[in-house]
Amino acid sequence: MTNVHSPDASRSLIDVEAWRTFERSAPGLARRLLLLGAVAAAQSLLLLPVVLLIRHAVDVAMPAGNIGLLVGIGAAIFGIRFLNGGISLWLRVAHVRVIKAAILRLREDLLARLYRLSRAAYGRLDWNTTHARIVVDTDRLDNMSHAMVSRMLPALFSAVALLAVLAYLDLRLLLVTLAMAPMLLLVTRLTGRAVQRRVFEFQRAFERFSKGMLFVLQHMDLTRVQSFEDREIARRIGEMRKLRETSESMAFIYSLHSQLQSVLVSLCGAVILVLGGIAVATQHMTLGDFLSFWVAAGLLNGHVGTVLNAFPEVIAGNESMTTLHRFAHGDEPEPYHGREHVAFSGRITLEDVGFGYGGSPVLDEANLEIEPGTTLAIVGPNGAGKSTVLYLILGFYRPERGKLRADGVPYDRLDMKELRRGIGVVMQHPAFFAGTILENITYGNPEASRADVMRAAGLAFADEFIRKLPLGYDTPIGEEGMLLSGGEVQRIAIARALLRRPRLLVLDEPTNHLEHAVIRRLMQNLTTLDDRPAVLVISHDREVLHDMDRVVRIADGALVTATPIPLPQAAGRSGGAS
């Protein structure tokens, strides 16, 4: 995501292109809002008979002492207001449904956008900031949309209708009142810029606060190991204080904006009172005309105040919409877009593949074939490109030259999500979430039976230690599996990979947490399966070469076939602690 460092002073208060994108993400949104707006405009016409009834009561019924007519007028006004309230309630509910549906669609699109990112683009994201922006900015946008559609737009329609009523009652008095409109618009524009700046500063401060608190939760062990608690607390308190300052500043400018608008609207009311009073005194206007004008003007002031007070929320929502728009239109998508499915057997072929990062070559005319049901080790020093081969096989990256095939079909034609369902991967640093052992093993395969889970755990030598736990498979493992040992979580990761009965199993640096003897027993277990998968082991450890069908070394960007090392007869060999 592109970080925003400062507000653009030349940018308009409303980002039209961002809002067009929002409308496109929710097809029919504008049409439905216009329809509701038409209903609101029709509702506004109910105000005309109210002011006319007031004038008739003052000019006709009261001087004549016609009590029955006054009662009838009062009942009619109440009936109109009751009908108006019912329509307002319906409009509010309809507005909320439309906006909530649009926000849901936007969030769905943003979620899908994250999964469409290439691995390179994903790697460039600041995860914590991205999290804060997607979660918090969509919530701000939700609040703003609700304010604009449920309050601001109906108030605008009602204000237009009231202007027509006021023009009918006394056009000259209305024109004198409207002469103050330019001052109102100027103040709105000036305070709007200040609101935009304060909102921008607050949102960035909130992002830093959110990011900092996530850092505290995610890296507690690192902070303690480095004895950095005091400095870390001081940093986070600094972010909290900055958030408080920007929040107070934003609240102040909101209040200043509201008060200035209120003063100007009150000035308009005072002008109407003085000029209308003079007109009544000089008999250029009846008292009924003045009172009906006064009531209509009071309603207009209320609607204008609603519009102006919602303006800061619109600006805040616009800043969030702009941020989300930049995210949705930044970085490159996934490298492959095919839709073809194959009955994957485990055969993967790399043909003259060249690849590098930012101009630094890693692979050059690399060739490799993984055959179904065989074991293959790719070895080489750290940084040689072993993991790059894995990412290319998974379709996370696209080679700059050459191509990859699965069972002879080019990756360009394949549905990569479907292909990955046939590949079980145990990454060098497996990912876990704060759930139970069962939930972590079945992630990606929620329909798996408990028997399937126990079978996979047995193959991975995890079932034995899991059964000894007080809660067994329902034991919580903590965030990133921190409640278990490294060897235990590695076994759980292998069980998760085997649960889907993959046609290709990839083990990336398995000796980081498992003994060599355990890995060898795992290989022996796999060879006994009727649906034996191909196995690709990626490692810098020479011990994994024992009893591999094939060994490939990475040398100067090329994949060179090496001779497998037979297993020594001497016992007692050991590896990393479990």
Side-chain angles (χ1 to χ4, degrees), residues 44 47 51 157-167 295-297 299-300 303:
S44 302
L47 298 170
V51 296
F157 283 115
S158 297
V160 171
L162 284 166
L163 285 172
V165 171
L166 291 170
V295 169
L299 293 172
L300 176 62
H303 291 306

Side-chain angles (χ1 to χ4, degrees), residues 140-323:
R140 290 182 185 134
L141 187 58
D142 188 359
N143 293 334
M144 182 280 302
S145 299
H146 179 74
M148 184 172 70
V149 174
S150 296
R151 301 201 308 270
M152 192 174 185
L153 290 182
L156 277 173
F157 283 115
S158 297
V160 171
L162 284 166
L163 285 172
V165 171
L166 291 170
Y168 169 77
L169 293 173
D170 195 305
L171 180 60
R172 288 177 299 177
L173 185 56
L174 174 63
L175 292 176
V176 172
T177 305
L178 291 179
M180 303 183 64
M183 183 186 305
L184 193 62
L185 293 175
L186 177 61
V187 171
T188 299
R189 182 171 181 82
L190 292 176
T191 56
R193 287 293 182 190
V195 167
Q196 185 182 43
R197 186 166 55 254
R198 298 297 193 279
V199 165
F200 178 90
E201 293 170 353
F202 168 76
Q203 291 184 357
R204 301 293 85 79
F206 188 90
E207 287 171 7
R208 289 190 291 270
F209 166 69
S210 176
K211 177 180 177 180
M213 293 310 298
L214 281 172
F215 181 93
V216 169
L217 294 172
Q218 292 172 341
H219 302 291
M220 185 69 70
D221 286 348
L222 172 64
T223 302
R224 286 171 171 166
V225 166
Q226 295 297 109
S227 299
F228 204 63
E229 294 96 329
D230 293 342
R231 293 282 296 277
E232 194 62 58
I233 290 172
R235 282 204 301 185
R236 302 311 161 204
I237 289 177
E239 292 168 351
M240 293 175 188
R241 289 175 176 171
K242 182 64 176 178
L243 178 61
R244 174 192 170 186
E245 292 172 6
T246 56
S247 180
E248 289 178 349
S249 177
M250 186 177 67
F252 170 77
I253 201 64
Y254 271 36
S255 297
L256 177 62
H257 170 88
S258 177
Q259 290 303 314
L260 287 175
Q261 305 301 338
S262 178
V263 168
L264 290 176
V265 169
S266 297
L267 180 59
C268 290
V271 170
I272 292 173
L273 177 63
V274 172
L275 296 180
I278 293 174
V280 171
T282 58
Q283 298 184 346
H284 287 87
M285 176 184 281
T286 69
L287 182 60
D289 287 335
F290 172 70
L291 286 177
S292 58
F293 191 96
W294 178 260
V295 169
L299 293 172
L300 176 62
N301 285 346
H303 291 306
V304 170
T306 297
V307 171
L308 295 177
N309 288 330
F311 197 62
E313 293 182 63
V314 173
I315 294 175
N318 181 72
E319 289 299 308
S320 294
M321 186 70 254
T322 301
T323 299

Side-chain angles (χ1 to χ4, degrees), residues 245-450:
E245 292 172 6
T246 56
S247 180
E248 289 178 349
S249 177
M250 186 177 67
F252 170 77
I253 201 64
Y254 271 36
S255 297
L256 177 62
H257 170 88
S258 177
Q259 290 303 314
L260 287 175
Q261 305 301 338
S262 178
V263 168
L264 290 176
V265 169
S266 297
L267 180 59
C268 290
V271 170
I272 292 173
L273 177 63
V274 172
L275 296 180
I278 293 174
V280 171
T282 58
Q283 298 184 346
H284 287 87
M285 176 184 281
T286 69
L287 182 60
D289 287 335
F290 172 70
L291 286 177
S292 58
F293 191 96
W294 178 260
V295 169
L299 293 172
L300 176 62
N301 285 346
H303 291 306
V304 170
T306 297
V307 171
L308 295 177
N309 288 330
F311 197 62
E313 293 182 63
V314 173
I315 294 175
N318 181 72
E319 289 299 308
S320 294
M321 186 70 254
T322 301
T323 299
L324 295 172
H325 178 256
R326 284 175 174 152
F327 169 70
H329 291 79
D331 293 318
E332 68 272 16
E334 284 187 298
Y336 297 106
H337 304 91
R339 290 292 178 264
E340 185 173 338
H341 293 187
V342 296
F344 183 51
S345 68
R347 185 182 302 277
I348 296 289
T349 307
L350 280 69
E351 299 176 356
D352 299 324
V353 167
F355 183 80
Y357 298 97
S360 301
V362 176
L363 299 176
D364 183 25
E365 297 187 359
N367 292 278
L368 177 70
E369 182 165 12
I370 303 172
E371 298 176 359
T374 64
T375 57
L376 169 68
I378 298 180
V379 296
N382 290 331
K386 302 185 300 299
S387 293
T388 298
V389 173
L390 169 58
Y391 298 146
L392 288 168
I393 290 174
L394 292 175
F396 290 170
Y397 294 130
R398 184 187 187 92
E400 297 163 0
R401 298 178 304 280
K403 64 178 59 177
L404 286 88
R405 299 178 186 271
D407 286 330
V409 181
Y411 269 31
D412 281 309
R413 290 164 42 189
L414 292 174
D415 182 332
M416 295 308 301
K417 287 188 289 188
E418 182 65 24
L419 176 64
R420 291 178 195 133
R421 290 189 182 101
I423 303 176
V425 182
V426 182
M427 305 296 283
Q428 182 175 356
H429 302 290
F432 298 94
F433 54 88
T436 65
I437 291 175
L438 180 64
E439 289 169 339
N440 275 270
I441 292 178
T442 58
Y443 181 77
N445 300 278
E447 71 288 345
S449 67
R450 203 170 187 91

Side-chain angles (χ1 to χ4, degrees), residues 490 509-516 519 539-541 543-544 576:
Q490 193 80 358
E509 299 290 357
T511 57
N512 282 357
H513 298 289
L514 294 177
E515 297 176 351
H516 299 111
I519 297 173
S539 180
H540 67 281
D541 189 341
E543 289 291 324
V544 303

